[in-house]
Amino acid sequence: MTASQEPLRAPGAALTEGSSRGRSGTKTSKSSRPGGRSDGLGLDRAARLELHLFLRLAREWDLRFEKMFKTGALTKWYSSVGNEATTVAAATVLEKGDALLSLHRDSGAILRHYLDPDQLFPGLLPEGSRRPALAIDAREILHRLACQMLGRREGFSNGYERSYHYGHIDEAAGLFHMGMISHLGSMIPVAAGVAFALKHQGTDRIAINFIGEGATSTGDFHEGLNMAAVWKLPFILIIENNQWAFSTPASEQYACASLAERGAAYGMPGVQVDGNDPEAVLGVMRTAAARARAGGGPTLVEAMLGRHRGHSEGDDSLAQVPEQELAETRANDPLDLYEVKLLQDGACDASHLQDVAKRCHDLWIEVVDRAAETEEPDATEERAIYAD
Ligand SMILES: Cc1ncc(C[n+]2csc(CCOP(=O)(O)OP(=O)(O)O)c2C)c(N)n1
Ligand SMILES: [Mg+2]
């Protein structure tokens, strides 16, 4: 085994050894393990409360749109509920000029990367080792994001599309966000290509890409990772393994013990981590990002999660999940777990958590209501598809 093939070791990281699921049926989730696996990361109170704020912000974002879906105000929604610890923590390593390539459960990463919490909630977070924010008007970009979700003209795709199939580049701010092509693996070679461009430009910038475990059985997964490894690209691929690809359980999709093990086959570290623990994910991502920035090449991260919601709201995929598995998944809600941990550690008190929840809830009422009042696109208007 060469150095590049050794499993990446990071504070709090689970390693690749061992099976994450029973061979006979669905998983035995690593996410159900008790906490305490992220000790040693050395995060200060400010960094931890910032992580928590974005977990809550992402959660309330989804709850707002889920409610609209349930009342018929929205015809489709892909919920990120349960993925926040992974997506928020992963995007915390992004810096100005880095590239984010997201899929359908990554609102946490999008919000984390776009937003400066001090603009939205002045004085809410303590001073300390917080992530430097991009110079972007938080309310303006949130307005466009909410318009995007509602298919309004003021959305990023001008009403052409009403979901996460959009990109947004603001070169001055150093924001490079490329949204999803398909739900499967098509983004992987594109993301590797972005990483290639960043390397070719002589920068130490990185590209990160999220996929579901359903994307790992596609040819694009192989081609993208192989290319990234051979060219030592500054690339991190994060698999959000919720153990179900639409209605197909992991046991019917792949036969290897863990997807992280596949990293070794390409000549890159593969790390399995508890995706419900934001500090564990951050530890793994910090190590992977430092490696990528230093020219060490890509890392494959497998975040073990549960299926909290169906593939999309309103399809019948959640009905496939056995009751006991669903109960176990809900008992390991990443936001609940992190709030308990922060309270136990004395990082904050219950009133802070309530305050954060209320502020986030109220923000989305305001932002989404404003977006809902904006102009609908004219479906009969002839428009160029590829022009701005
Ligand atoms: C090329 C292609 N084949 C099939 C599909 C249908 N499809 C949509 S999502 C999905 C599975 C996705 O699995 P995963 O990434 O684990 O997402 P999750 O169900 O967990 O949201 C499939 C097969 C598709 N969208 N595109
Ligand atoms: Mg899945």
Side-chain angles (χ1 to χ4, degrees):
M1 183 182 266
T2 67
S4 67
Q5 289 169 327
E6 282 170 17
L8 188 69
R9 290 170 195 277
L15 297 181
T16 55
E17 291 89 29
S19 174
S20 62
R21 59 193 166 92
R23 302 299 314 135
S24 57
T26 54
K27 52 111 201 201
T28 308
S29 173
K30 292 211 169 188
S31 59
S32 63
R33 287 180 178 180
R37 299 169 61 214
S38 49
D39 294 342
L41 198 55
L43 293 179
D44 68 8
R45 186 169 161 266
R48 299 181 88 197
L49 294 187
E50 186 174 39
L51 267 178
H52 167 261
L53 171 63
F54 277 97
L55 258 64
R56 174 57 76 185
L57 198 62
R59 175 64 56 93
E60 296 296 329
W61 166 264
D62 268 291
L63 295 182
R64 178 83 181 95
F65 286 104
E66 283 183 5
K67 198 172 218 174
M68 291 179 81
F69 175 82
K70 282 177 187 152
T71 56
L74 206 59
T75 52
K76 190 147 195 168
W77 186 249
Y78 290 98
S79 177
S80 301
V81 166
N83 288 40
E84 301 94 340
T86 292
T87 55
V88 167
T92 297
V93 303
L94 290 174
E95 297 175 3
K96 189 176 174 181
D98 289 338
L100 166 66
L101 292 99
S102 57
L103 243 68
H104 55 300
R105 295 199 191 287
D106 305 323
S107 56
I110 293 169
L111 297 172
R112 170 60 283 195
H113 193 40
Y114 285 8
L115 299 177
D116 174 2
D118 288 339
Q119 281 186 38
L120 292 170
F121 310 115
L124 178 64
L125 293 175
E127 295 292 323
S129 60
R130 306 241 315 273
R131 195 199 90 151
L134 300 180
I136 294 175
D137 184 320
R139 287 208 175 252
E140 187 46 38
I141 202 163
L142 281 183
H143 177 64
R144 291 196 71 190
L145 186 59
C147 286
Q148 174 67 29
M149 297 300 125
L150 298 178
R152 303 301 160 120
R153 258 185 200 281
E154 291 172 40
F156 296 111
S157 54
N158 302 335
Y160 277 72
E161 198 274 331
R162 193 208 58 72
S163 181
Y164 290 107
H165 295 272
Y166 77 91
H168 180 53
I169 294 175
D170 177 344
E171 270 190 73
L175 174 63
F176 296 92
H177 175 208
M178 276 140 259
M180 60 189 281
I181 301 169
S182 113
H183 291 277
L184 296 181
S186 341
M187 286 306 278
I188 306 169
V190 175
V194 170
F196 173 77
L198 294 170
K199 182 172 178 159
H200 190 62
Q201 289 160 5
T203 72
D204 67 349
R205 301 297 83 183
I206 63 171
I208 74 169
N209 178 203
F210 295 92
I211 54 164
E213 88 291 346
T216 61
S217 302
T218 66
D220 283 326
F221 178 85
H222 169 70
E223 293 174 29
L225 284 188
N226 191 55
M227 179 171 91
V230 170
W231 287 345
K232 283 193 177 300
L233 299 180
F235 178 45
I236 307 170
L237 183 66
I238 304 128
I239 305 166
E240 293 168 271
N241 189 350
N242 63 6
Q243 335 264 336
W244 292 83
F246 216 129
S247 48
T248 304
S251 57
E252 289 180 30
Q253 192 205 152
Y254 56 88
C256 51
S258 88
L259 293 168
E261 283 181 357
R262 293 188 184 176
Y266 297 106
M268 69 175 75
V271 196
Q272 193 182 67
V273 65
D274 180 353
N276 288 331
D277 182 341
E279 297 184 13
V281 175
L282 182 56
V284 167
M285 288 295 296
R286 278 185 174 176
T287 307
R291 182 174 192 272
R293 292 190 202 285
T299 298
L300 176 64
V301 176
E302 180 187 19
M304 300 309 295
L305 293 160
R307 193 166 205 37
H308 290 253
R309 296 288 192 271
H311 174 70
S312 69
E313 296 305 294
D315 66 31
D316 62 357
S317 55
L318 198 61
Q320 313 296 318
V321 180
E323 240 172 72
Q324 196 190 334
E325 180 181 334
L326 195 56
E328 189 188 319
T329 295
R330 288 182 174 156
N332 284 287
D333 181 305
L335 180 58
D336 292 348
L337 292 181
Y338 200 43
E339 291 195 341
V340 168
K341 195 171 179 178
L342 292 174
L343 289 174
Q344 280 172 348
D345 293 350
C348 66
D349 56 20
S351 69
H352 173 81
L353 300 180
Q354 282 158 12
D355 187 23
V356 169
K358 181 167 174 9
R359 288 187 195 222
C360 294
H361 176 267
D362 292 352
L363 176 74
W364 296 138
I365 299 274
E366 179 198 320
V367 167
V368 178
D369 280 0
R370 181 181 159 214
E373 282 166 13
T374 62
E375 195 189 350
E376 299 260 12
D378 175 1
T380 63
E381 182 191 4
E382 277 191 30
R383 298 187 290 175
I385 292 177
Y386 296 110
D388 281 344

